[in-house]
């Protein structure tokens, strides 16, 4: 059974890169383009892992992460937060929001893949 | 209200009133000094006046004394006269008669003196003179009678006329003496009273003048000191960056103008400060947006490139793979440039916030070695590290410190063609002592300071040859200085370079802004 990954990301290109990368190694992908949608999709599909972008309008990645981590049925799902470069303090904020790991943009698809695999194993 | 509170409020009102007088400080001081001088002059005049009064009283007393003496003389003369005549009548002595006549002349002199002295008792004196005239006549007649041998008649005249006349004269002169003595007593008393009054007036005037002068000095001083103190306090606040307050002084003189100027300056500074703050905020917002806008497409380009390289979209021919590698390296370079420029702008704008955490300097060095290892290996350079045993745990922004060291080591590798690049880490005097040693071309002395400035490399051709923005050293320097450290270079052309920096082991702050 293939693992299901939820990608919450407002940028089409970034979603596509992650989609192309992850489907090529056999993951099943669920996508969301806003924080609210991300929380709904997480409830709907209970993915094995969530990839959460920080910079999104309205409900940002921190808040979405916080909401998901506050739900008992979803709390166990590992969340990787994608932070933007040079925004110092992002890591600490991601951690306090309950993220399990973070990758900083620009992330190398190879590095991202290895991080996902290590969290799922 | 207690008296103290009342006097304080009165004092403040007075000071405010003086401060509010629309005159220059100079004028106020001049008026105060002139007032004091005027008081002194008036005091002097009053004293002189009193002295004159006392002098006049003394003279009057002397006159009275002389008058009394003259009256007594008249009295004495009259008595003497009677005695002489009586003796002459008894003894029938011609010499005694001569003496009596001679003394009549003396009488005239005494009376003249009386006329000079006496004024108040002129009526009485006139009677004395009349009586005296008669007395002289009677005595002269008695003498003539005695000389012509009519002694019995002389005795008759003497008894019936001279003696009563003499008695009357004595009573009259007694009256005069009594009046004069009473005058004298009254005058002495008057003098004493006048002296006491004058003394009281002079003392009161002196005390009044002194109090007025002191009060005037006090009020004027405080009307100047108070605003100066207020302005001083306000300037201190302005210096500390507080622009919203105003300084209010009652003065309508130069100090009032000064206070108004201080308020205007403060307002202007406040406006400028707000504008600057707004500009700075706009700049940092712009930077954040730009940073996001520039990186997003670039990240996509780099991401797709890597996916293609990894054959996600199918096998890639060798020739295309080679071009892809160039696309990737140029893309990474562009990203590096953008990051450097944005980093430096952030530092310049004071927007770089250090996130302070505990870190291990050993791990920082190892991260740098891991990151740059492949670069050194590609140039066949020996990358070696000397890390002192038992380095203390540091406190600071690990990511920024790594960035700073990475820039130094990256530069060393970039500019060194053969030999080695060494990283030394030690700790002394509460600071890490880091050195990056290379066997590169070295840096001429005249460039050693300049290379830490923005966009400076040893020569501009090296920028083209070696790539890079020329911002790396500048960023490293600012990061190190933000941590309270210092960076410098020791180098000689042809003998390689050593970049050294010190970094306080403990940065004892929660957060620090540039």
């Amino acid at each position: 059974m293939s693992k299901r990954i939820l990608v919450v990301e407002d940028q089409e290109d970034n979603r596509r890169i992650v989609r192309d990368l992850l489907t090529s190694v056999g993951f099943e992908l669920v996508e969301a383009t806003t924080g609210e949608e991300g929380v709904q999709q997480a409830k709907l599909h209970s993915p094995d892992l969530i990839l959460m972008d920080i910079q999104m309008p309205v409900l940002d990645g921190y808040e979405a992460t916080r909401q998901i981590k506050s739900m008992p049925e979803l709390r166990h799902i590992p969340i990787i937060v994608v932070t933007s470069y040079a925004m110092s303090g992002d890591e600490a904020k991601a951690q306090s929001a309950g993220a399990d790991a973070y990758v900083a943009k620009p992330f190398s698809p190879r590095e991202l893949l290895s991080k996902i695999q290590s969290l799922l194993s | 209200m207690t008296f103290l509170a009342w006097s304080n409020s009165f004092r403040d009102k007075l000071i405010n009133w003086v401060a509010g007088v629309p005159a220059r400080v100079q004028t106020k001081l001049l008026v105060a000094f002139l007032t004091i001088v005027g008081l002194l002059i008036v005091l002097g005049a009053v004293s002189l006046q009193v002295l004159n009064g006392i002098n006049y009283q003394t003279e009057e007393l002397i006159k009275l004394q002389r008058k009394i003496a003259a009256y007594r003389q008249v009295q004495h003369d009259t008595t003497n006269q009677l005695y002489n005549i009586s003796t002459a009548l008894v003894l029938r002595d011609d010499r005694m008669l001569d003496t009596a006549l001679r003394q009549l002349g003396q009488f005239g002199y005494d009376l003249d003196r009386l006329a000079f002295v006496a004024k108040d008792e002129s009526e009485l004196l006139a009677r004395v003179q009349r009586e005296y005239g008669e007395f002289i006549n009677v005595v002269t007649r008695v003498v003539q009678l005695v000389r012509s041998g009519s002694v019995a008649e002389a005795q008759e005249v003497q008894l019936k006329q001279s003696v009563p006349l003499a008695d009357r004269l004595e009573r009259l002169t007694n009256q005069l003496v009594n009046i004069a003595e009473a005058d004298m007593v009254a005058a002495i008393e008057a003098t004493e009273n006048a002296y006491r009054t004058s003394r009281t007036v002079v003392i009161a005037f002196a005390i009044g003048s002194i109090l007025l002068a002191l009060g005037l000095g006090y009020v004027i001083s405080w009307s100047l000191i108070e605003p100066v103190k207020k302005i001083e306090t306000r300037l201190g606040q302005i210096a500390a960056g507080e622009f919203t307050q105003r300084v209010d002084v009652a003065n309508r003189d130069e100090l009032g103008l000064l206070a108004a100027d201080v308020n205007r300056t403060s307002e202007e500074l406040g406006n400028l400060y707000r504008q600057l703050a707004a500009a700075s905020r706009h700049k940092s917002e712009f930077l954040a947006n730009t940073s996001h806008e520039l990186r997003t497409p670039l990240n996509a380009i780099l991401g797709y490139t890597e996916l293609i390289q990894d054959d996600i979209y199918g096998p890639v021919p060798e020739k295309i793979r080679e071009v892809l590698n160039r696309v990737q390296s140029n893309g990474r370079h562009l990203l590096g440039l953008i990051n450097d420029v944005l980093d430096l702008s952030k530092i310049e704008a004071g927007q770089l916030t250090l996130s302070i955490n505990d870190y291990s300097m050993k791990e920082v060095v190892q991260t740098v070695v891991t990151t740059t290892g492949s670069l050194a290996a590609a140039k066949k350079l020996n990358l070696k590290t000397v890390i002192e045993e038992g380095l203390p745990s540091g406190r600071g922004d690990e990511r920024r410190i790594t960035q700073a060291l990475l820039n130094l080591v990256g530069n060393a590798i970039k500019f060194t063609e053969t030999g080695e690049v060494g990283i030394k880490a030690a700790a002394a005097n509460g600071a890490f002592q880091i050195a990056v040693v290379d066997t590169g071309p070295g840096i001429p002395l005249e460039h050693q300071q300049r290379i830490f400035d923005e966009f400076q490399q040893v020569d501009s051709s090296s920028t083209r040859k070696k790539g890079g923005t020329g911002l790396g050293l500048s960023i490293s320097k600012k990061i190190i200085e933000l941590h309270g450290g210092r960076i410098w270079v020791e180098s000689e052309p042809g003998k390689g370079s050593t970049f050294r920096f010190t970094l306080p082991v403990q940065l004892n702050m929660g957060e620090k802004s540039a």
Side-chain angles (χ1 to χ4, degrees):
Chain A
M1 189 183 121
S2 66
K3 300 272 187 188
R4 188 182 295 155
I5 295 178
L6 169 62
V7 180
V8 188
E9 165 69 79
D10 62 330
Q11 292 268 321
E12 165 58 26
D13 279 310
N14 287 347
R15 276 204 308 277
R16 177 157 180 202
I17 288 167
V18 172
R19 191 194 310 137
D20 290 351
L21 173 74
L22 297 183
T23 48
S24 77
V25 287
F27 286 112
E28 184 190 330
L29 240 71
V30 181
E31 294 177 22
T33 56
T34 66
E36 296 94 323
E37 201 190 331
V39 177
Q40 285 165 12
Q41 296 284 39
K43 278 195 258 184
L44 207 62
H45 298 284
S46 7
D48 297 292
L49 187 141
I50 300 170
L51 203 58
M52 179 77 75
D53 187 45
I54 285 306
Q55 275 183 310
M56 284 183 297
V58 195
L59 190 69
D60 70 11
Y62 299 125
E63 194 45 44
T65 303
R66 208 167 284 128
Q67 289 187 9
I68 292 169
K69 285 295 182 185
S70 72
M71 297 173 189
E73 69 277 18
L74 298 180
R75 190 175 289 155
H76 66 278
I77 304 172
I79 299 179
I80 299 178
V81 161
V82 182
T83 65
S84 59
Y85 170 86
M87 288 288 168
S88 213
D90 278 4
E91 309 145 30
K93 270 155 95 181
Q95 258 170 19
S96 76
D100 299 87
Y102 72 92
V103 285
K105 280 184 192 170
F107 58 83
S108 144
R110 268 166 242 152
E111 279 172 32
L112 178 65
L113 191 58
S114 73
K115 206 158 246 174
I116 289 172
Q117 277 161 343
S118 79
L119 272 174
L120 287 178
S121 63
Chain B
M1 199 191 290
T2 65
F3 175 74
L4 197 69
W6 177 84
S7 74
N8 271 345
S9 111
F10 176 72
R11 185 199 79 135
D12 291 346
K13 268 187 198 139
L14 202 61
I15 289 173
N16 276 344
W17 181 80
V18 169
V21 171
R24 291 182 305 159
V25 170
Q26 209 179 340
T27 314
K28 285 183 194 170
L29 288 178
L30 196 67
V31 165
F33 287 135
L34 286 182
T35 307
I36 292 168
V37 168
L39 284 173
L40 284 177
I41 290 173
V42 171
L43 180 62
V46 167
S47 305
L48 271 181
Q49 187 64 33
V50 166
L51 275 180
N52 275 341
I54 289 174
N55 198 30
Y56 173 76
Q57 300 273 11
T58 312
E59 274 172 15
E60 286 296 298
L61 278 180
I62 291 171
K63 277 182 193 169
L64 271 176
Q65 211 165 16
R66 277 207 216 129
K67 193 159 80 175
I68 290 168
Y71 290 158
R72 289 231 159 95
Q73 186 68 42
V74 169
Q75 214 173 17
H76 171 77
D77 285 351
T78 319
T79 318
N80 212 22
Q81 201 76 23
L82 270 181
Y83 167 77
N84 277 341
I85 299 292
S86 303
T87 313
L89 283 176
V90 172
L91 298 178
R92 298 194 192 152
D93 182 24
D94 212 36
R95 271 189 326 185
M96 294 293 272
L97 292 175
D98 279 345
T99 310
L101 284 176
R102 207 169 53 240
Q103 279 180 343
L104 285 177
Q106 179 67 32
F107 264 30
Y109 176 69
D110 285 345
L111 280 174
D112 283 350
R113 261 177 50 186
L114 282 178
F116 169 72
V117 169
K119 277 179 195 156
D120 318 341
E121 309 92 358
S122 48
E123 199 190 323
L124 207 54
L125 202 62
R127 273 180 67 195
V128 169
Q129 257 171 333
R130 261 196 327 273
E131 301 273 338
Y132 212 85
E134 214 173 314
F135 185 67
I136 290 173
N137 287 340
V138 171
V139 169
T140 311
R141 219 174 123 222
V142 169
V143 171
Q144 276 168 358
L145 284 171
V146 170
R147 286 217 171 123
S148 63
S150 319
V151 175
E153 201 181 339
Q155 276 177 332
E156 178 90 9
V157 172
Q158 173 80 352
L159 271 174
K160 294 227 173 112
Q161 293 184 13
S162 291
V163 173
L165 262 176
D167 281 350
R168 277 211 301 281
L169 265 176
E170 197 183 359
R171 272 199 307 279
L172 281 173
T173 47
N174 256 344
Q175 238 177 320
L176 279 173
V177 167
N178 283 345
I179 290 172
E181 277 182 341
D183 280 357
M184 178 100 164
V185 168
I188 287 173
E189 204 170 309
T191 308
E192 275 175 0
N193 283 340
Y195 169 71
R196 272 198 296 275
T197 311
S198 307
R199 193 180 54 184
T200 311
V201 166
V202 169
I203 288 176
F205 208 85
I207 290 176
S209 303
I210 289 169
L211 287 181
L212 200 59
L214 283 178
L216 207 59
Y218 181 84
V219 167
I220 292 234
S221 307
W222 276 102
S223 78
L224 301 180
I225 294 168
E226 206 79 63
V228 167
K229 278 164 75 179
K230 281 186 186 166
I231 290 170
E232 198 274 328
T233 309
R234 182 70 201 101
L235 283 175
Q237 291 171 339
I238 292 173
E242 156 71 277
F243 302 110
T244 54
Q245 303 278 320
R246 285 180 63 84
V247 56
D248 282 317
V249 301
N251 294 53
R252 288 165 72 189
D253 48 25
E254 287 92 330
L255 290 168
L257 291 178
L258 184 61
D261 282 345
V262 165
N263 282 336
R264 227 181 40 235
T265 308
S266 167
E267 232 166 77
E268 282 298 309
L269 279 175
N271 285 340
L272 278 176
Y273 185 79
R274 277 188 292 279
Q275 283 170 16
L276 267 179
S280 171
R281 203 171 51 244
H282 290 149
K283 187 177 174 183
S284 65
E285 279 165 13
F286 169 78
L287 283 177
N289 288 340
T290 310
S291 134
H292 185 63
E293 298 305 322
L294 288 178
R295 284 191 192 102
T296 305
L298 198 52
N299 287 342
I301 292 170
L302 288 171
Y304 283 125
T305 308
E306 200 173 311
L307 290 185
I308 301 170
Q309 279 178 321
D310 287 356
D311 299 330
I312 300 285
Y313 303 111
V316 177
E318 201 49 40
K319 209 167 177 182
I320 294 179
R321 184 178 298 279
E322 198 191 307
V323 176
L324 273 182
N325 288 345
R326 299 200 80 108
V327 169
Q328 189 186 39
S329 81
N330 275 292
R332 281 186 179 154
H333 187 198
L334 178 57
L335 191 65
L337 293 180
I338 291 170
N339 288 341
D340 276 0
V341 170
L342 292 174
D343 268 357
L344 198 67
S345 311
K346 273 198 142 184
I347 294 174
E348 302 273 278
Q351 302 285 329
L352 186 85
T353 312
L354 296 179
S355 42
I356 312 292
N357 275 308
D358 290 330
Y359 68 92
S360 150
M361 185 50 94
K362 190 175 176 181
E363 275 173 26
V364 168
V365 174
Q366 277 162 355
T367 306
V368 170
V369 169
T370 313
T371 315
T372 55
S374 57
L375 217 64
K379 293 182 82 172
K380 298 194 169 58
L381 294 174
N382 185 17
L383 185 59
K384 74 175 194 193
T385 56
V386 180
I387 300 173
E388 197 182 67
E389 282 299 312
L391 277 185
S393 167
R395 193 160 172 77
D397 189 332
E398 181 177 6
R399 204 149 66 110
R400 294 290 169 189
I401 294 168
T402 309
Q403 186 185 359
L405 185 59
L406 196 60
N407 281 338
L408 295 182
V409 177
N411 276 347
I413 294 171
K414 209 190 293 178
F415 289 99
T416 305
E417 296 307 329
T418 55
E420 61 175 35
V421 170
I423 308 169
K424 292 178 187 167
N429 306 324
F432 291 118
Q433 316 277 334
I434 312 295
V436 177
V437 190
D438 67 44
T439 54
I443 302 161
L445 193 64
E446 63 266 30
H447 290 144
Q448 286 182 9
Q449 267 309 307
R450 225 148 47 87
I451 54 169
F452 291 105
D453 296 340
E454 292 91 45
F455 300 106
Q456 291 290 337
Q457 290 189 347
V458 172
D459 61 72
S460 50
S461 67
S462 73
T463 310
R464 289 192 296 276
K465 226 158 55 195
K466 305 293 179 188
T469 50
L471 292 176
L473 276 179
S474 184
I475 292 171
S476 295
K477 181 173 185 239
K478 297 223 155 98
I479 290 171
I480 288 163
E481 285 174 352
L482 271 181
H483 280 84
R486 203 167 71 80
I487 185 170
W488 69 99
V489 63
E490 295 158 3
S491 182
E492 230 178 280
K495 293 192 176 171
S497 309
T498 303
F499 282 83
R500 291 183 191 280
F501 68 89
T502 64
L503 200 69
V505 172
Q506 292 285 324
L507 186 68
N508 283 325
M509 290 183 204
E511 252 192 351
K512 183 174 169 155
S513 285

